[in-house]
Amino acid sequence: MADDLRFREDGTFTIVQFTDLHIGGDRDNEEDLRTLALVRAVLAEEKPDLIVYTGDLISSYGVSDPSASFRRAIAPAVESGLPWTHVFGNHDAEENVTREELMAIAIEHNTCYSQAGPVDLSGVGKNMLTIQSVASENPAAVLYFLDSGAMAPESVGGYAWIAADQVHWYKQQSLALRQRSGAIQPGLAFFHIPLPEYNDVWQLGKVSGIKHEEVCCPKLNSGLFAAMVEMGDVMGTFVGHDHDNDYCGTLHDIRLCFGRVTGYNTYGDLPRGARVIRLEEGRHSFDTWQRLEDGGLLR
């Protein structure tokens, strides 16, 4: 792995979130080539300190070699030499590949910060990263990554939920960091499938952006949002999954944000792009905007 993540000399740290690339099995597919070109263009423009893919990097259903698709999906990040990490979505390991196999490919690269996470916990890809202070070796912010799964059991239906043991893991990590650093560190959380609270924030919160489809969240609420409110560190969550939603809203002092769909080889009418997130050391807040396919910004 590369050197630790660290705030820049000017006190900023910039993350670019790509989501739902849906790279398929044909390496000459024009839509996939447009997707990868867009990723490269955004990276060249934003020059982030960390790249985060929030799931559905590939569509593996019906694909004979999804491992090759995954390598194509991450190629722009690998080529950039920038630190990058990812969480899985519901389409990444549908057929002919497992999450474990895809994770093994990811961590071949020394700029990849992804980790499979404890094997005794649900999901593949539970990870916590700290961002070090520009002036010391102390952590000044924290990033959490969770595997939100794929489909729920047939007895429930719909999409999976973040499991109770993952929620407990998050609380343990948050508390341990607070005890180690002597303070609550400002944090962000990344996963693929939106929480039920993404519905609530649209109805009750302060919201900006577009909602052009139903929030495809789990039918069961496993309590991650309540845990984040209780722990007090997570300022914002970032998901994908819903290609025609891009809104960001505040509920109980946590901003719930959709990424901007990046991939062309999938459904959705929104212009493609990426979400950019900027932290400033010492602030318990963040700025965010969307970089669109035409190079424009949407704040």
Side-chain angles (χ1 to χ4, degrees):
M1 186 182 290
D3 294 337
D4 288 339
L5 301 176
R6 185 177 297 275
F7 281 93
R8 295 187 182 190
E9 290 295 326
D10 65 0
T12 66
F13 189 92
T14 301
I15 300 167
V16 167
Q17 176 198 7
F18 297 109
T19 196
D20 295 82
L21 279 68
H22 285 267
I23 299 298
D26 180 1
R27 67 171 52 251
D28 297 319
N29 180 279
E30 291 186 8
E31 291 177 318
D32 286 347
L33 294 175
R34 287 180 69 193
T35 298
L36 299 177
L38 172 59
V39 171
R40 292 184 173 98
V42 171
L43 294 179
E45 186 67 33
E46 295 291 346
K47 301 177 178 61
D49 301 293
L50 179 67
I51 302 162
V52 178
Y53 294 100
T54 50
D56 286 358
L57 287 81
I58 65 173
S59 294
S60 59
Y61 185 78
V63 173
S64 60
D65 189 1
S67 294
S69 301
F70 189 76
R71 291 185 187 278
R72 287 198 298 278
I74 64 175
V78 173
E79 294 162 4
S80 74
L82 298 169
W84 65 277
T85 188
H86 77 291
V87 293
F88 290 116
N90 52 298
H91 290 291
D92 287 302
E94 280 187 300
E95 192 172 66
N96 296 326
V97 76
T98 66
R99 276 164 153 73
E100 289 81 2
E101 289 169 333
L102 295 177
M103 181 63 75
I105 293 170
I107 61 178
E108 290 174 1
H109 305 283
N110 62 7
T111 52
C112 177
Y113 280 71
S114 301
Q115 296 179 18
V119 296
D120 57 341
L121 289 186
S122 302
V124 177
K126 292 85 60 183
N127 191 16
M128 181 187 80
L129 298 175
T130 56
I131 307 172
Q132 304 303 112
S133 168
V134 66
S136 72
E137 295 305 312
N138 297 320
V142 59
L143 309 174
Y144 299 101
F145 304 89
L146 292 163
D147 182 356
S148 55
M151 306 307 296
E154 288 187 9
S155 59
V156 176
Y159 292 101
W161 55 89
I162 292 175
D165 61 353
Q166 293 172 288
V167 178
H168 181 64
W169 172 86
Y170 153 69
K171 294 179 72 173
Q172 286 181 313
Q173 299 301 309
S174 177
L175 182 59
L177 179 61
R178 182 188 313 181
Q179 293 172 338
R180 188 165 71 248
S181 63
I184 296 176
Q185 300 299 337
L188 305 175
F190 299 85
F191 39 94
H192 180 69
I193 298 173
L195 302 173
E197 283 81 8
Y198 274 73
N199 266 321
D200 298 337
V201 76
W202 182 259
Q203 299 294 330
L204 305 172
K206 180 180 178 182
V207 186
S208 62
I210 293 169
K211 182 179 184 290
H212 282 175
E213 66 173 307
E214 179 183 350
V215 175
C216 295
C217 60
K219 294 181 179 180
L220 297 185
N221 191 327
S222 59
L224 178 61
F225 183 80
M228 293 187 296
V229 172
E230 291 171 359
M231 299 309 294
D233 56 349
V234 171
M235 307 177 294
T237 65
F238 299 87
V239 302
H241 194 51
D242 297 354
H243 304 178
D244 278 331
N245 294 333
D246 77 347
Y247 63 84
C248 192
T250 302
L251 185 69
H252 302 304
D253 296 324
I254 296 177
R255 293 172 74 181
L256 303 173
C257 299
F258 280 102
R260 167 66 62 146
V261 60
T262 306
Y264 291 92
N265 194 13
T266 185
Y267 85 90
D269 296 327
L270 295 183
R272 274 32 185 175
R275 181 171 285 282
V276 186
I277 306 142
R278 179 159 294 161
L279 298 167
E280 290 186 21
E281 184 173 349
R283 284 180 56 199
H284 193 90
S285 62
F286 61 89
D287 298 318
T288 185
W289 60 91
Q290 297 178 75
R291 172 72 66 175
L292 302 183
E293 57 193 358
D294 63 0
L297 297 181
L298 184 61
R299 295 187 181 273

